[in-house]
Amino acid sequence: MKSLKMKWLLWVFWALAGLFELSISTVSGQTHPSTHLVQPQQTWYGIARLHNVGVNELQSLNPQILAAGLQPGDTLRLPQPATLPDIPVLVSFDEPRPVDTLPRTLPVLTSADTLRLLAILPFQFNSDTLMGGIEDPRVVRLRQISLEFYYGMRWAAEELTSAGMDVSLRVVDSAPDSLGDTWSLPDLLWADAVFGPLRTQTLDSALDVSALLGKPHWALASSADKILSKGDHVFVAEPEPLAAARLLGTTAARCYAGEQVTMLATGLHDADLEEAFAAAFTAARDSSDSPLVRHLVSPRFAEGVSAMLDTSRTHVFAVPSGKSSRAMVAHLQNELLKADSIETRLLMHPDARDYEFLEHRLLHHTRLITPAADFADWADTTTLYRFWPYRDLTGTDPSQYAMLAHDAVLESASWCNDFPIGAPLPAPISHHFIWRAEGSGRAWRNQSWQIEQFSDGWWIPLPCSPSSGDKPSAAPAPSFNFSRDILNSPYGW
C-alpha cells in the first residue's frame, strides 16, 4: 500500500513538474521588473498575483495611486525580492530560521470573482455494514462529524454570499467509494483553499499534493508533528497549547504581582508546557518581585502541597501540564479542600475545564483561572441571531466542529482583500486567529487564547488582563439574560 502511495505521489510530482517547469527551475536566472503599467480591468490583487508579490506590500509602495484609485495607464512600483542562492524553489531550508526573521505573509486568495473551497471529509461511503445491516459505530460517528463540518462551511458560505462574495463549495470523500471515486488532483487544482481530511494518515497524503500547488490547506483536526512539518501552506486551526502556557505564565506574573507563585511540575510528558509557562512568567515578572517556585510532583500525587499551606498568606498554585496530570490534580483538589480555611488561588491548563471530577466548591474557592479558546459573546443578541440560519439548516445548534469549520471559512475569506463586495465580511464567532510559524517549511499555528476566571458560578474574562498589573478579584455574577441562559450555551449552565 505504501509503495502504491509513493508511486502515485511521484507521478503527481512529475506531472506537475511538466506543467510548471519554469517554477521548479533555479531562481538565480530570473529577472524581476521594477514597474508595472496598469491595463484595463486589472485589480490590485491581479497585479500582485501576476508578479508574485503581496497586495499590501504593493499598495504600500504606491500610496498616491492607492489614494486616488487604480486606473489604466498608472505605473506601479513593484517590490523587489531578496537575492537568493542557486537553489531549486521546492528545496526547503535544513534549519528553520527564527520566526521574526521570516519574510512571509499570509496568503491572498481569489479566483476571478468566486471563492472556491474544497472540503475533503471522511463520509466513508466505502464501508461495509455489519451483520444485521447496521454500520460500524466509528463510521457512523465520523459521518456525523463530517456532516457537522460540512454544515458549518455551508453556513459560512451563506453568510459570505449575503455579504456580496460569491462562494463555491465542493465536498468530496476522503476515501474511495464503491466506484473508486474520491478526491483527486483536479479537485485541488480547482480550489482556492482546502479543508481536511480529518484523519492524519489521509491528511498526510493530501498535504503532499497541495504543497506542490501552494494551496492554503487547513488541518482541522490534527496537529501531529509530521503535519506541522509539511510546509508553510498548512494552517492548523487548533490553538497551540504552548501559546496557552505562555499566556498563563504571563497572567500569573502580572495578576499576582507581590505574591509567591508555585508551579507544580512533573517534568515528564508536558515538560514543554511547564518550561513555556516558566519562561513567560520570568519574562513578565518584575525583577524586584519573588521568582517562580518550582515544586516537583509525580503525575499521580501532589506531594508536599499540604505542608506548604498556612494562614500567613495567599497561596497561588499553577498547573500548566494537561491531561497527563489528571490524577495529580484530583489529589491536589483533596488537599486544597481539606484546608478550605486557607486562601488559595489556582491557574490551570485549558483541559481542566473538561475534568468532570473537579468540584464546584474548588473552582469557587480557588477562583480558578484557565486559558479559553472560545471567544464567542453569548450575551450578544447579534451572535445569537447569526445562529438561526444554521438552526434552520440542521434543526439544532452548531457543534464545536461546525463552529470551527464556519470560522475557518470566514478566516479564509478575510485573505481575499481585493474582492469588490458591498458589505463588510462577517467575522468568526467562536475562534480568533493569530498566526505564527516556527520556521521556514513549518505550518502556521493559531496562537489565539483568552484568560477566563471562574467566579460565582460563571466563567468570565479575567478582570486583570495580561497587560495590566491589577490582581484579579471576585467579579459580580452577570445579570440574568434569557437568550444567554436558556438557549443552548457552551458553558453548560
Side-chain angles (χ1 to χ4, degrees), residues 1-14 204-205 208 230:
M1 191 69 180
K2 290 184 178 179
S3 62
L4 289 175
K5 173 184 171 183
M6 290 303 299
K7 289 180 181 178
W8 183 78
L9 288 175
L10 287 172
W11 178 87
V12 171
F13 178 83
W14 290 116
D204 186 23
S205 302
D208 286 335
K230 281 296 180 179

Side-chain angles (χ1 to χ4, degrees), residues 17-233:
L19 289 172
F20 305 107
E21 182 177 355
L22 292 178
S23 67
I24 305 179
S25 61
T26 60
V27 299
S28 62
Q30 296 177 3
T31 59
H32 299 274
S34 58
T35 61
H36 174 87
L37 183 65
V38 179
Q39 304 299 316
Q41 298 184 340
Q42 284 191 322
T43 65
W44 286 102
Y45 176 78
I47 297 169
R49 189 173 188 178
L50 178 65
H51 296 284
N52 196 27
V53 298
V55 175
N56 293 336
E57 190 179 9
L58 179 63
Q59 291 176 339
S60 66
L61 285 178
N62 301 275
Q64 294 180 340
I65 296 178
L66 178 63
L70 191 65
Q71 299 293 332
D74 288 341
T75 299
L76 298 178
R77 295 174 56 198
L78 297 176
Q80 294 301 300
T83 302
L84 295 175
D86 290 340
I87 58 173
V89 173
L90 295 180
V91 174
S92 61
F93 296 96
D94 292 333
E95 295 185 3
R97 290 170 288 172
V99 174
D100 57 356
T101 66
L102 288 175
R104 298 161 51 194
T105 56
L106 295 176
V108 178
L109 297 179
T110 190
S111 179
D113 58 351
T114 300
L115 176 62
R116 299 187 295 201
L117 308 174
L118 174 66
I120 307 176
L121 298 171
F123 288 101
Q124 304 281 298
F125 290 127
N126 63 332
S127 65
D128 295 325
T129 57
L130 303 177
M131 291 188 63
I134 62 173
E135 294 276 9
D136 186 324
R138 292 172 296 181
V139 172
V140 172
R141 182 55 184 150
L142 273 175
R143 287 178 181 170
Q144 290 173 341
I145 294 174
S146 298
L147 280 173
E148 290 167 10
F149 273 115
Y150 162 69
Y151 283 129
M153 295 182 69
R154 180 173 165 183
W155 172 29
E158 291 179 358
E159 285 194 311
L160 292 171
T161 301
S162 298
M165 177 181 287
D166 290 332
V167 180
S168 180
L169 175 60
R170 180 181 294 183
V171 184
V172 294
D173 199 342
S174 59
D177 61 18
S178 58
L179 299 177
D181 294 331
T182 183
W183 65 276
S184 60
L185 179 59
D187 292 318
L188 294 174
L189 289 169
W190 170 86
D192 290 316
V194 184
F195 300 77
L198 304 183
R199 287 180 163 180
T200 300
Q201 183 176 1
T202 317
L203 175 62
D204 186 23
S205 302
L207 290 175
D208 286 335
V209 181
S210 61
L212 302 177
L213 303 174
K215 302 283 186 176
H217 199 139
W218 284 80
L220 296 172
S222 176
S223 58
D225 189 65
K226 69 176 181 178
I227 299 302
L228 298 177
S229 62
K230 281 296 180 179
D232 57 10
H233 69 299

Side-chain angles (χ1 to χ4, degrees), residues 17 34 59 69-70 130 164 184 269 283 285 311 336 340 346 378 381 427 429 449 487 490:
S34 58
Q59 291 176 339
L70 191 65
L130 303 177
S184 60
H269 303 290
R285 193 72 152 178
T311 58
L336 296 183
D340 58 2
L346 193 56
W378 302 103
T381 55
I429 294 177
W449 295 88
L487 295 179

Side-chain angles (χ1 to χ4, degrees), residues 11 22 35 53 241 249 262 264 276 296 298 367 375 386 395 427 442 461:
W11 178 87
L22 292 178
T35 61
V53 298
T262 301
L264 304 182
L296 191 63
S298 74
R367 298 176 189 171
F375 287 81
R386 290 180 66 183
R442 298 285 292 180

Side-chain angles (χ1 to χ4, degrees), residues 154-470:
R154 180 173 165 183
W155 172 29
E158 291 179 358
E159 285 194 311
L160 292 171
T161 301
S162 298
M165 177 181 287
D166 290 332
V167 180
S168 180
L169 175 60
R170 180 181 294 183
V171 184
V172 294
D173 199 342
S174 59
D177 61 18
S178 58
L179 299 177
D181 294 331
T182 183
W183 65 276
S184 60
L185 179 59
D187 292 318
L188 294 174
L189 289 169
W190 170 86
D192 290 316
V194 184
F195 300 77
L198 304 183
R199 287 180 163 180
T200 300
Q201 183 176 1
T202 317
L203 175 62
D204 186 23
S205 302
L207 290 175
D208 286 335
V209 181
S210 61
L212 302 177
L213 303 174
K215 302 283 186 176
H217 199 139
W218 284 80
L220 296 172
S222 176
S223 58
D225 189 65
K226 69 176 181 178
I227 299 302
L228 298 177
S229 62
K230 281 296 180 179
D232 57 10
H233 69 299
V234 181
F235 292 81
V236 179
E238 175 187 331
E240 184 183 15
L242 283 175
R246 289 190 288 265
L247 180 59
L248 195 63
T250 302
T251 300
R254 294 183 178 176
C255 292
Y256 288 110
E259 302 283 0
Q260 177 179 297
V261 177
T262 301
M263 179 179 71
L264 304 182
T266 64
L268 298 174
H269 303 290
D270 290 332
D272 56 339
L273 299 179
E274 294 165 353
E275 291 305 317
F277 175 93
F281 181 94
T282 302
R285 193 72 152 178
D286 190 281
S287 58
S288 61
D289 210 338
S290 58
L292 179 68
V293 176
R294 294 173 179 254
H295 181 72
L296 191 63
V297 295
S298 74
R300 299 186 62 186
F301 299 103
E303 299 97 339
V305 169
S306 59
M308 300 180 190
L309 301 175
D310 59 64
T311 58
S312 62
R313 61 183 177 88
T314 298
H315 296 266
V316 183
F317 295 100
V319 184
S321 55
K323 293 180 180 177
S324 64
S325 301
R326 279 173 55 98
M328 185 271 288
V329 171
H331 185 243
L332 174 65
Q333 173 176 248
N334 294 335
E335 297 298 315
L336 296 183
L337 289 181
K338 285 191 294 185
D340 58 2
S341 61
I342 298 175
E343 285 292 319
T344 55
R345 299 291 178 264
L346 193 56
L347 303 97
M348 295 183 66
H349 187 280
D351 286 348
R353 293 179 177 233
D354 298 326
Y355 296 166
E356 65 283 351
F357 57 81
L358 286 184
E359 298 184 22
H360 180 278
R361 58 192 182 115
L362 176 80
L363 307 184
H364 174 75
H365 177 66
T366 62
R367 298 176 189 171
L368 179 63
I369 291 173
T370 73
D374 183 0
F375 287 81
D377 182 1
W378 302 103
D380 181 17
T381 55
T382 303
T383 298
L384 297 173
Y385 284 139
R386 290 180 66 183
F387 285 163
W388 286 114
Y390 186 90
R391 291 175 178 140
D392 291 340
L393 189 64
T394 66
T396 185
D397 284 336
S399 68
Q400 59 175 329
Y401 304 112
M403 290 293 293
L404 178 57
H406 170 270
D407 291 349
V409 168
L410 296 185
E411 170 69 5
S412 300
S414 72
W415 302 336
C416 306
N417 59 357
D418 203 43
F419 269 94
I421 61 175
L425 288 177
I429 294 177
S430 179
H431 302 80
H432 289 184
F433 297 99
I434 301 175
W435 296 108
R436 178 180 182 272
E438 296 176 354
S440 179
R442 298 285 292 180
W444 293 93
R445 301 205 66 181
N446 186 13
Q447 306 291 301
S448 190
W449 295 88
Q450 68 175 347
I451 291 292
E452 291 185 349
Q453 181 184 39
F454 190 86
S455 181
D456 292 334
W458 309 85
W459 285 107
I460 60 173
L462 190 63
C464 87
S465 68
S467 61
S468 69
D470 299 325

